[in-house]
Amino acid sequence: MLLKLIKFAAVCVAFIAGVSHAAAHGERAQEPYLRTRTVQFYDVHFSKTEVKVNERFELTGKFRLMQDWPDAVTPPDIVFVSSISPGPTIARIETYLNGWPARQSFARLELGRDYEFRMVLEGRTPGSSHIHPSISIKGSGPLVGPGQWVNISGEAHSFAFPIKTMTGLQIEDLQTFGLAHAVGWHLAWLAVAAAWLSFWLARPLILPRWLVLQKGREDLLISLRDTGAGIIVSAIVLVMVFGGYVRASAEYPYNVPLQSGLNRVAPLPASPAYAEIKVISATYDVPGRSMRLATQITNKGSEPLSIGELTTANIRFLNQSLPVAMANVDPSYSRDLIARTGLKLSSDTPINPGETREVRVEATDAVWELERLVSFLTDVDSKFGGLLLLYAPNGERVIAEMGGPIVPVFTELK
């Protein structure tokens, strides 16, 4: 009985910690199949984590669209690359995907291929903000990459967004440009609405008109005065609409419609498939918070390969005994998303060219619970996905997809 209570308390603590972690990071709760089998981010880097208002910094990285794309998620036929922050804390100046400007959405990205993004951001609102790259899929919503705390210092009122238009017009602050016109038009329309309502509210409304209807004298409800007032208000509305159009056309003769078209971009060149991975079996030890994989790895390259990292859902399990894998960790990467216990392997010796070896991989950490990823065990298909990073002696990195069905196991803690 005592053991059951302890296990129940552990589950409750893990749940509360997971909720608190997600709330602290400003992350939207997503189903595990969305995070493990759709988009895998890697090489994400923040050029700065301490910026001032109006100071720019860059967010760069790569992502792979997993080949085993879940059926419950809309395919990436229309994709928009952006960033996520808690409110208007940053301004996005430029975005590029594989070097192409990403002002619009992209069409038909390819599964199983890699893409590189670069965003130029600017501090806007002082405070600490958790910033993420995101890939928005039409029909499914945003898929969020690994985030980082960015501290923005300075005064909010000092933020300005100056631009120069194609016609040479210099706008000192885009966030307040046209504000006077917007306020003026709102006041004008409110004045017309108030005059129209006052015209009707100044005379008997409900009971007298109801009595007229009861007597069958509908002809008394609308008088010539009412008709004349309606004509005058209609004329005023038409004059305001067409007059505003003529004035705007004269003041801004060159207009660009909303950028609703789609761009196409080729993926990064496919890297040679030097490593082939087959998942023989996959289990998740629920009490031990451990994913255990039995894999068969074939080295099809010309250099020995060593397993350096397993990454899934922005969480990185590193082979801490491999220096090149540890050196690949960016200092700006969130330490909350790096498993403290690392990656355990049944065989840590390099896999020689042409060799096929069965390797047991164990990824154990409480981060499975903290990031609320273990509910993949209750998904319809109960599958997982991720990237396995292998390294050659010369430092060359080989990225291979892996995934498949996974089942839970319940072993007693010792």
Side-chain angles (χ1 to χ4, degrees), residues 145-165:
Q148 178 60 272
W149 288 105
V150 176
N151 297 318
I152 304 174
S153 59
E155 300 294 335
H157 61 79
S158 64
F159 175 78
F161 200 156
I163 64 168
K164 189 175 183 178
T165 66

Side-chain angles (χ1 to χ4, degrees), residues 26-37:
E27 298 172 3
R28 182 174 66 88
Q30 293 180 326
E31 291 294 332
Y33 67 83
L34 283 174
R35 302 173 61 188
T36 64
R37 296 173 51 208

Side-chain angles (χ1 to χ4, degrees), residues 16 35 85 91 107 117 168 213 222 237 245 283-284 344 374 403:
I16 295 173
R35 302 173 61 188
S85 62
F117 63 87
L213 288 174
I222 304 298
V237 170
Y245 171 77
T283 61
Y284 180 78
K344 295 182 180 179
V374 295

Side-chain angles (χ1 to χ4, degrees), residues 65-377:
L65 301 175
M66 297 293 285
Q67 188 69 45
D68 186 23
W69 192 271
D71 294 334
V73 182
T74 306
D77 293 332
I78 299 180
V79 173
F80 184 72
V81 181
S82 183
S83 60
I84 288 182
S85 62
T89 59
I90 57 173
R92 189 161 55 91
I93 309 300
E94 300 173 359
T95 305
Y96 299 91
L97 185 65
N98 287 0
W100 286 81
R103 295 184 294 267
Q104 301 163 257
S105 297
F106 289 88
R108 298 180 183 177
L109 300 189
E110 299 181 28
L111 297 181
R113 302 297 295 273
D114 297 85
Y115 296 84
E116 184 176 17
F117 63 87
R118 182 173 76 90
M119 304 180 197
V120 180
L121 308 175
E122 186 175 301
R124 180 176 181 177
T125 305
S128 295
S129 301
H130 210 248
I131 313 298
H132 300 255
S134 71
I135 308 298
S136 297
I137 310 291
K138 182 179 180 180
S140 296
L143 302 172
V144 181
Q148 178 60 272
W149 288 105
V150 176
N151 297 318
I152 304 174
S153 59
E155 300 294 335
H157 61 79
S158 64
F159 175 78
F161 200 156
I163 64 168
K164 189 175 183 178
T165 66
M166 293 185 295
T167 59
L169 175 63
Q170 181 65 40
I171 299 176
E172 298 301 330
D173 193 355
L174 188 62
Q175 64 178 346
T176 58
F177 177 71
L179 182 60
H181 283 157
V183 172
W185 277 108
H186 277 80
L187 293 176
W189 286 114
L190 286 174
V192 173
W196 179 247
L197 288 175
S198 299
F199 174 78
W200 290 100
L201 292 175
R203 53 199 307 190
L205 285 178
I206 300 176
L207 289 179
R209 299 174 71 84
W210 179 76
L211 292 174
V212 170
L213 288 174
Q214 292 296 315
K215 294 180 179 181
R217 296 299 307 275
E218 292 86 352
D219 57 302
L220 299 178
L221 293 178
I222 304 298
S223 64
L224 292 177
R225 178 188 175 191
D226 300 335
T227 304
I231 294 173
I232 293 173
V233 172
S234 299
I236 292 174
V237 170
L238 291 175
V239 169
M240 291 177 63
V241 171
F242 286 102
Y245 171 77
V246 171
R247 178 182 175 184
S249 298
E251 189 173 355
Y252 307 103
Y254 302 101
N255 300 296
V256 178
L258 293 177
Q259 302 296 294
S260 58
L262 298 175
N263 287 332
R264 296 181 184 272
V265 62
L268 295 177
S271 57
Y274 290 144
E276 182 180 277
I277 302 176
K278 178 181 178 181
V279 178
I280 301 173
S281 66
T283 61
Y284 180 78
D285 185 352
V286 178
R289 298 172 176 176
S290 177
M291 176 184 284
R292 295 166 183 162
L293 310 174
T295 65
Q296 186 181 76
I297 303 177
T298 301
N299 185 354
K300 295 185 175 182
S302 59
E303 296 288 338
L305 296 177
S306 300
I307 299 175
E309 178 181 341
L310 169 63
T311 178
T312 180
N314 305 328
I315 302 173
R316 304 175 66 178
F317 294 86
L318 302 169
N319 182 358
Q320 299 176 357
S321 63
L322 190 65
V324 66
M326 299 301 296
N328 192 47
V329 180
D330 191 281
S332 68
Y333 199 86
S334 176
R335 289 298 182 259
D336 292 338
L337 298 178
I338 297 179
R340 294 173 176 81
T341 54
L343 193 67
K344 295 182 180 179
L345 307 171
S346 61
S347 176
D348 206 14
T349 58
I351 303 172
N352 295 317
E355 179 186 358
T356 298
R357 182 187 303 174
E358 290 190 6
V359 181
R360 293 188 301 275
V361 180
E362 184 175 316
T364 304
D365 200 273
V367 70
W368 292 110
E369 297 284 351
L370 295 177
E371 290 294 323
R372 293 181 286 178
L373 290 173
V374 295
S375 58
F376 56 58
L377 303 173

